[in-house]
Every structure is written in structure tokens, then in C-alpha cells.
Amino acid sequence: SSGINAEYGESTGLALRKWRSEVFETRGESAVDARKPRYSMKFLIDAHKFTKDVFNDLRVTGQIDSKFIGCVTSDGMVVMVDQHAAHERVRLECVLAVLYNDGSVGSGVAVTKLGSPIIVSGMSRAERHFVSQVRDSLGKMGFVLEVKDSEVHLTEIPTICFTDSGELNISVDDLTDAFREGVDQVRDSRGSNLSLPQRLTEYLHSRACHGAIRFGDGLSLGQCQALLSQLAVCDLPFQCAHGRPSFAPVIKLKTRDDEKEEEKGVREGLQFLKLRSHFV
């Protein structure tokens, strides 16, 4: 603490030691090595709204505590990236990119034929009649079916429900629940809402999470840079599949441009005071 106080002053050192984030828990004095800074510290960040422009000239400094990736933006802001949240987002969007036949909801969910149908029982005659009427809509949601006697047979289901090796990666119960949810969704929206049922959306989120980089996984500088490059092309890069932020601002550093602006402001202020003195 004495080193930080000596370098930046007591107030800045105290602020660094007391810094807390709603996203990240800090340990030690600071997330920034303040011993030999390339910048001088300007002010701590309480809140900041990021846009995708942040990825322009983003400098990756490396992994921190096997949990976060330290970065500095082009305007001198130190950013902590949650490596798990970032990779989860990348994995989710990779799956979503192949979810629909041509990338749009209107084209329908890509499906794979089952070796033997999944039987959905317990539906009333009225429900089975409705299902037969909206078969095309349910097909676009990823449920290709046949109505037989007192049962509904699912013959094709969303491709994303399978592993790369072709194994079914979701329980039959969850799948039939998702189908029933889809039927309700079509009925309630009168066929206008053909998006993926919530049960399948949750499945995708869970799948993206379970295979993602975790806290404690070591990453080289090259791996950190590769992950940030993948994150940069995501549609929603600033949150994981479950909504947890992937980016957190830590501190704004004073760059040379900032110093030039301050010097300009001081000069203009002195000129104003000098001019004012002639009229007092």
C-alpha cells in the first residue's frame, strides 16, 4: 500500500484498495500492476456502457489469477474479461449460427431424423387435432411429427439436440416437455411465434456453459487473444448465455491525449483569468 500511495497519492491508493465490483471479487491491492505504469491513473470507473467499438485496437495483456483476461482499450481503460462468460457466449453463438436452416427463424430449425420415433402420449383428442392442423408451424420449430391414433410421434427433432457423434444429448422427458411448450406457444401466438421453446433455449444455454473454459483453467497470451477475437464477432459479446456480464471496467488511465487536453484547458483558463483581471 505504501508503494501505491507514494506513486499515485494517498487518495488513489485508498480507492484502489477499496475498489469493489458487482461482477468480480477483488483480492489484493489492485487488478493493475501500479509499480511501473505506462499511463498515469486518472479516475476509477463506477459504471460504463460498452459498445462493440471497444474491440478496435483492444490490447490483451494476459490472464489474471486463472480467471480473468486483462485488457486495455484504445482510450486507456483497463478492462477485466471473465474468461468463462466470454467463452460461454462464443460457444452459444456458434450453436445458434447453425440452429436454423439458413440462419433465420423464418427458414425453420434444422432437424435430424430419429432412428425410432419419440412417442408423446397423454394428449387429448382436441390437442391431437390442433397439432395436426399446425404441423407445418411445429415443423419450423424443429418438431416433425405424425399423429397416430391416441399418440403423437416425433420423427425428426432439432439437430442441436444431438452430439457431434450423433448421440441424443437431451432427455426424452425434456424433449417432450419442449414439444408441449411449443404447441402452447403456437396456440397462444396464433402461429406468429415460431422461436425455439424456452425449454430448448435453456438446454442450449446449459450446453454452452458446461463445455466452456472455467475459472482455474490456464490460458497463454495467444489463447487469450484468440478468445477475445472470437468474442469480438459475437452479436452479444458483453454477457454470457445466462446474462452474466463478460466485461467489467476497472480503471481509466490518463493517456497522452488526455494530458494534452488538460494542458490546453489550463492554458485557456489562465488566459481567461488574465483577460478578466483587466476588467476587475
Side-chain angles (χ1 to χ4, degrees):
S1 61
S2 59
I4 293 179
N5 290 346
E7 185 74 30
Y8 299 104
E10 184 175 354
S11 60
T12 301
L14 179 62
L16 282 172
R17 290 193 299 277
K18 290 187 174 182
W19 178 77
R20 294 291 183 271
S21 168
E22 294 180 357
V23 182
F24 303 130
E25 177 183 355
T26 59
R27 286 187 287 179
E29 292 182 354
S30 171
V32 184
D33 183 355
R35 290 173 294 177
K36 294 182 179 180
R38 295 181 58 184
Y39 307 85
S40 59
M41 293 190 178
K42 188 177 182 183
F43 51 84
L44 295 178
I45 302 297
D46 292 324
H48 185 79
K49 183 177 180 180
F50 288 110
T51 67
K52 293 187 72 172
D53 290 340
V54 73
F55 291 101
N56 298 334
D57 302 317
L58 184 69
R59 184 166 64 89
V60 180
T61 61
Q63 192 181 38
I64 300 172
D65 198 26
S66 296
K67 296 178 182 177
F68 312 113
I69 299 172
C71 304
V72 180
T73 65
S74 59
D75 62 349
M77 181 179 294
V78 176
V79 175
M80 298 275 274
V81 180
D82 180 325
Q83 65 187 39
H84 175 72
H87 194 218
E88 184 178 300
R89 167 51 57 179
V90 170
R91 284 175 53 82
L92 177 63
E93 296 209 8
C94 284
V95 173
L96 293 177
V98 297
L99 174 62
Y100 297 102
N101 287 310
D102 68 358
S104 65
V105 176
S107 66
V109 171
V111 297
T112 296
K113 188 175 181 63
L114 291 163
S116 57
I118 292 176
I119 298 174
V120 183
S121 58
M123 301 189 80
S124 67
R125 178 179 296 181
E127 288 174 321
R128 295 194 303 274
H129 178 68
F130 176 76
V131 164
S132 65
Q133 287 184 318
V134 296
R135 182 180 300 176
D136 290 344
S137 295
L138 291 170
K140 288 186 176 182
M141 297 176 75
F143 301 105
V144 179
L145 57 91
E146 297 176 356
V147 179
K148 292 188 175 182
D149 299 327
S150 61
E151 298 172 337
V152 173
H153 291 199
L154 301 181
T155 58
E156 298 178 44
I157 61 174
T159 301
I160 47 91
C161 293
F162 295 88
T163 64
D164 293 338
S165 60
E167 299 289 331
L168 188 62
N169 198 35
I170 184 174
S171 72
V172 172
D173 286 343
D174 282 344
L175 191 60
T176 55
D177 285 347
F179 168 71
R180 292 177 185 276
E181 184 182 337
V183 173
D184 291 340
Q185 190 171 300
V186 172
R187 179 189 295 110
D188 295 342
S189 68
R190 296 183 179 180
S192 63
N193 182 4
L194 301 182
S195 60
L196 208 62
Q198 183 63 28
R199 183 64 61 93
L200 285 185
T201 299
E202 292 171 357
Y203 158 75
L204 291 184
H205 292 176
S206 177
R207 182 172 171 177
C209 175
H210 290 164
I213 294 167
R214 298 192 175 279
F215 278 5
D217 291 344
L219 300 175
S220 66
L221 178 60
Q223 289 173 319
C224 292
Q225 292 170 331
L227 178 56
L228 266 295
S229 295
Q230 293 172 328
L231 189 64
V233 297
C234 289
D235 291 331
L236 298 172
F238 303 117
Q239 63 184 46
C240 75
H242 300 96
R244 188 173 81 187
S246 58
F247 266 58
V250 179
I251 197 167
K252 181 69 168 64
L253 306 176
K254 185 187 295 184
T255 64
R256 291 180 180 177
D257 289 339
D258 293 328
E259 292 174 350
K260 289 179 181 178
E261 284 297 318
E262 288 186 0
E263 291 173 1
K264 179 181 178 182
V266 170
R267 289 196 303 270
E268 291 176 349
L270 291 174
Q271 290 174 356
F272 172 77
L273 291 174
K274 185 176 180 180
L275 180 63
R276 183 175 180 274
S277 65
H278 292 292
F279 298 95
V280 176

